[in-house]
Amino acid sequence: FCFYGCNWKCVVWWYCSNSNDAKISSNNFKITHIVAHSFGGKLAIKLSLLLKVKGLLLISPSIYHKVRGPKYYLKVWFYKIIKHFKCFNKISSSMGSKDYKSLNPVLKKSMSNIINESVENNVKKILVPTILLFGDKDKITPSYLGRKIKRKIKDCELIILKGNHFAYLYNQKQVVSIIESLVESTCI
C-alpha cells in the first residue's frame, strides 16, 4: 500500500499487490481517496462503501468479466472433466495464470473465490466522484467494460489512455495529474 497526501488533510490509498510500504491498520490517517488497479478495483469498491471515501480512481478495474469466446469455455469444460482423473495434478500444473501457478493449493482456492466474487451490485451504490482509466489496447479489462461501469456510477468520468492493461505506467505524468485533480477537487 502506498500513501499520497494532500496537505496531510487527505490520504489516498493506492493498492499495489507487490508493495509492502504500509499497512492500512498501522496508521492514524483517515483514508479519503482510493486509487486501485485491476483486482484492486474490486477491493476498492468494497472499501469505498465501508470507509465513506471522498473519491475513487479505478484503473482497469476487474469488476465485470469480459466477453469470452468458445476457446475459454472449452478450456473450462476440459479442466472440469480432467480433475476427476489421476493425471489431473500433472495436467493442472500447466493451467492458469503465472500468479495462480505459483500458489499453494489453499491460496489457489482463495484466489479463485476472490476472482469469482461479484461486486457488480455494489457499483451502482458508489456516490462519490469516480474516475475510470482504461488502456485502449487492454485485453484483460477492455475499455468497453469501462463504458459499462460508467453507466452505473452517477458521478463518473471515463478516460481512455494509450496502452494496455498497464497503461498507467506508460502515462505516469498524466495519471499523477488526474490523481491530484481528483484529490484537490474533493479534499476540502
Side-chain angles (χ1 to χ4, degrees):
F1 305 100
C2 308
F3 294 94
Y4 173 87
C6 169
N7 298 329
W8 298 108
K9 292 179 187 168
C10 297
V11 176
V12 175
W13 179 51
W14 175 283
Y15 174 81
C16 307
S17 60
N18 61 351
S19 175
N20 296 316
D21 294 346
K23 291 182 180 170
I24 198 167
S25 60
S26 67
N27 67 70
N28 296 321
F29 294 109
K30 180 181 183 330
I31 295 170
T32 58
H33 297 75
I34 301 176
V35 177
H37 173 252
S38 197
F39 168 72
K42 188 180 274 192
L43 295 176
I45 286 173
K46 293 177 84 171
L47 273 174
S48 71
L49 297 174
L50 291 172
L51 299 175
K52 307 282 191 248
V53 298
K54 294 181 179 183
L56 284 173
L57 176 64
L58 304 176
I59 306 169
S60 300
S62 60
I63 297 165
Y64 295 106
H65 293 291
K66 66 181 179 180
V67 176
R68 296 180 169 133
K71 185 178 176 182
Y72 169 81
Y73 292 102
L74 188 61
K75 282 182 182 179
V76 170
W77 177 77
F78 177 71
Y79 184 81
K80 287 181 178 183
I81 288 176
I82 64 156
K83 73 179 182 182
H84 299 289
F85 297 98
K86 288 184 179 184
C87 64
F88 174 69
N89 287 338
K90 283 184 181 179
I91 296 171
S92 69
S93 65
S94 67
M95 301 177 102
S97 70
K98 186 177 171 184
D99 292 337
Y100 183 80
K101 289 179 200 175
S102 70
L103 299 174
N104 66 43
V106 174
L107 290 177
K108 282 182 180 178
K109 177 69 175 151
S110 180
M111 183 177 183
S112 292
N113 289 341
I114 291 166
I115 287 171
N116 292 324
E117 178 187 14
S118 175
V119 294
E120 291 179 23
N121 291 332
N122 291 334
V123 172
K124 58 186 164 223
K125 295 177 187 174
I126 297 171
L127 302 174
V128 297
T130 303
I131 298 175
L132 302 170
L133 299 181
F134 279 81
D136 63 349
K137 294 184 176 40
D138 189 341
K139 291 185 171 144
I140 297 169
T141 53
S143 59
Y144 72 83
L145 295 176
R147 289 187 288 280
K148 185 175 181 179
I149 297 165
K150 184 182 182 322
R151 286 192 297 269
K152 304 278 183 181
I153 301 173
K154 288 181 182 177
D155 187 1
C156 186
E157 181 181 354
L158 173 63
I159 300 171
I160 307 295
L161 302 172
K162 295 220 178 284
N164 58 18
H165 191 63
F166 300 97
Y168 67 97
L169 293 175
Y170 307 110
N171 300 278
Q172 289 180 15
K173 286 182 181 177
Q174 184 180 2
V175 172
V176 167
S177 175
I178 292 167
I179 293 171
E180 289 174 344
S181 173
L182 175 67
V183 172
E184 287 171 10
S185 69
T186 56
C187 188
I188 300 168

